[in-house]
């Protein structure tokens, strides 16, 4: 705990385990980090902890320097813990990649490659009112947490703080190796610190921008690693590609000196 004040950001969850004593320590760590206003990313077992602890769920509400990175199962479990009238299975509708990218209300929001999009505030309100909209459940959960940002992993990564929705459908590779989510969580932690430090956008939450940037970088590194290693690719191969992928996506000559 004494080292926390020196942390630029903190990622909690990958490889954590679910021992009660570990969960108690993790809870104390998360709460102390929020007291110190340290940017946080919760992934893996920290999301399981969050789904089982109402006290922790209450404590994170409104903490805008927090990103949750659930996969499909983790998102459904977390949603069910917040909205107990359902079982979380209804959220599978928000995971349909083709639905999201081809939804008639968001065609104009796509980027030039058709793999990224951003919904405006008004479009987000429409999605919230439409239970069949692919982004409905992530918006609802983000708002329940007081505008905490959620990066919902899947064939399309969907990101929302309850006010805006972003999505990344850039193709990485046909191989999904264990540990890729850990790379995404760590990258999100770095980007979150940068975004909060530099004030990247006055309108869109820095956490949303950070999560989107991390999603794009992770998929690019995945693609580059697969090109070299094919089906033998493992997560360390992705890590080796992060530097080159970063330079391709975010060239140094186009970045602020503070980055």
């Amino acid at each position: 705990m004494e080292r926390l004040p020196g942390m630029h950001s903190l990622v909690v969850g990958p490889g954590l385990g679910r021992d009660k004593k570990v969960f108690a320590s993790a809870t104390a760590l998360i709460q102390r980090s929020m007291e110190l206003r340290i940017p946080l990313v919760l992934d893996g077992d920290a999301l399981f902890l969050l789904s089982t602890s109402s006290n922790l769920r209450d404590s994170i509400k409104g903490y805008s320097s927090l990103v949750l990175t659930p996969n499909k199962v983790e998102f459904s479990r977390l949603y069910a813990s917040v909205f107990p009238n359902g079982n979380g299975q209804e959220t599978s509708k928000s995971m349909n990649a083709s639905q999201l990218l081809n939804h008639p209300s968001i065609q104009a929001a796509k980027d030039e490659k058709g793999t990224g999009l951003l919904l405006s505030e008004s479009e987000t309100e429409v999605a919230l009112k439409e239970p069949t909209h692919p982004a409905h459940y992530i918006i609802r959960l983000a708002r329940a947490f007081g505008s905490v940002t959620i990066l919902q992993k899947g064939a399309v990564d969907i990101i929302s703080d309850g006010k805006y929705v972003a999505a990344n459908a850039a193709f990485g590779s046909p191989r999904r190796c264990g540990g890729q989510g850990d790379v995404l969580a760590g990258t999100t932690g770095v980007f979150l610190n940068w975004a909060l430090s530099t004030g990247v956008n006055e309108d869109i939450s820095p956490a949303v921008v950070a999560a989107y940037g991390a999603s794009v970088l992770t998929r690019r590194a995945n693609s580059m690693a697969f090109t070299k290693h094919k089906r033998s690719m493992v997560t360390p191969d992705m890590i080796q590609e992060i530097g080159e992928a970063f330079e391709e996506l975010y060239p140094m000559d186009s970045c602020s000196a503070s980055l």
Side-chain angles (χ1 to χ4, degrees), residues 92-114:
S92 62
K93 296 176 183 177
S94 64
M95 296 290 182
N96 190 313
S98 61
Q99 272 190 325
L100 183 65
L101 268 292
N102 296 301
H103 197 280
S105 71
I106 58 179
Q107 287 295 306
K110 291 184 184 179
D111 63 8
E112 65 276 8
K113 295 181 180 179

Side-chain angles (χ1 to χ4, degrees), residues 13-246:
L16 185 67
R18 298 180 181 179
D19 182 86
K20 290 183 179 180
K21 292 182 179 179
V22 171
F23 271 2
S25 296
T27 298
L29 181 67
I30 292 167
Q31 292 175 334
R32 180 57 178 156
S33 297
M34 290 190 293
E35 291 174 2
L36 295 171
R37 307 304 298 174
I38 296 172
L40 279 168
V41 178
L42 301 188
D43 183 50
D45 289 326
L47 295 173
F48 183 85
L49 168 61
L50 190 61
S51 69
T52 60
S53 173
S54 59
N55 289 336
L56 185 58
R57 290 197 300 274
D58 288 340
S59 69
I60 69 167
K61 288 181 179 178
Y63 191 63
S64 60
S65 300
L66 170 63
V67 177
L68 310 179
T69 58
N71 60 26
K72 181 177 181 178
V73 173
E74 291 163 342
F75 183 88
S76 296
R77 183 189 298 122
L78 192 55
Y79 188 91
S81 71
V82 175
F83 301 103
N85 290 335
N87 59 11
Q89 297 306 308
E90 66 271 27
T91 64
S92 62
K93 296 176 183 177
S94 64
M95 296 290 182
N96 190 313
S98 61
Q99 272 190 325
L100 183 65
L101 268 292
N102 296 301
H103 197 280
S105 71
I106 58 179
Q107 287 295 306
K110 291 184 184 179
D111 63 8
E112 65 276 8
K113 295 181 180 179
T115 57
L117 62 86
L118 174 69
L119 302 193
S120 66
E121 287 185 72
S122 60
E123 289 169 324
T124 299
E125 289 299 328
V126 170
L128 182 63
K129 296 174 182 177
E130 184 184 334
T132 59
H133 193 289
H136 172 82
Y137 293 102
I138 187 173
I139 299 167
R140 193 176 182 213
L141 185 58
R143 290 196 179 184
F145 281 131
S147 299
V148 162
T149 294
I150 301 172
L151 194 173
Q152 186 181 11
K153 298 179 290 191
V156 173
D157 288 343
I158 312 173
I159 303 151
S160 183
D161 62 347
K163 183 177 180 181
Y164 289 95
V165 176
N168 175 33
F171 183 69
S173 78
R175 175 156 169 73
R176 181 69 171 83
C177 48
Q180 183 173 326
D182 298 347
V183 174
L184 176 60
T187 305
T188 302
V190 174
F191 276 45
L192 184 58
N193 171 58
W194 287 346
L196 290 167
S197 299
T198 59
V200 293
N201 192 304
E202 294 182 358
D203 297 320
I204 303 172
S205 161
V208 171
V209 175
Y212 181 80
S215 171
V216 172
L217 178 60
T218 301
R219 287 178 181 239
R220 179 65 64 86
N222 177 269
S223 177
M224 293 169 67
F226 186 82
T227 298
K228 291 182 179 180
H229 301 280
K230 303 300 187 238
R231 294 289 178 180
S232 68
M233 181 190 78
V234 291
T235 297
D237 298 322
M238 286 179 55
I239 296 173
Q240 293 297 317
E241 302 299 329
I242 288 178
E244 185 176 343
F246 187 96

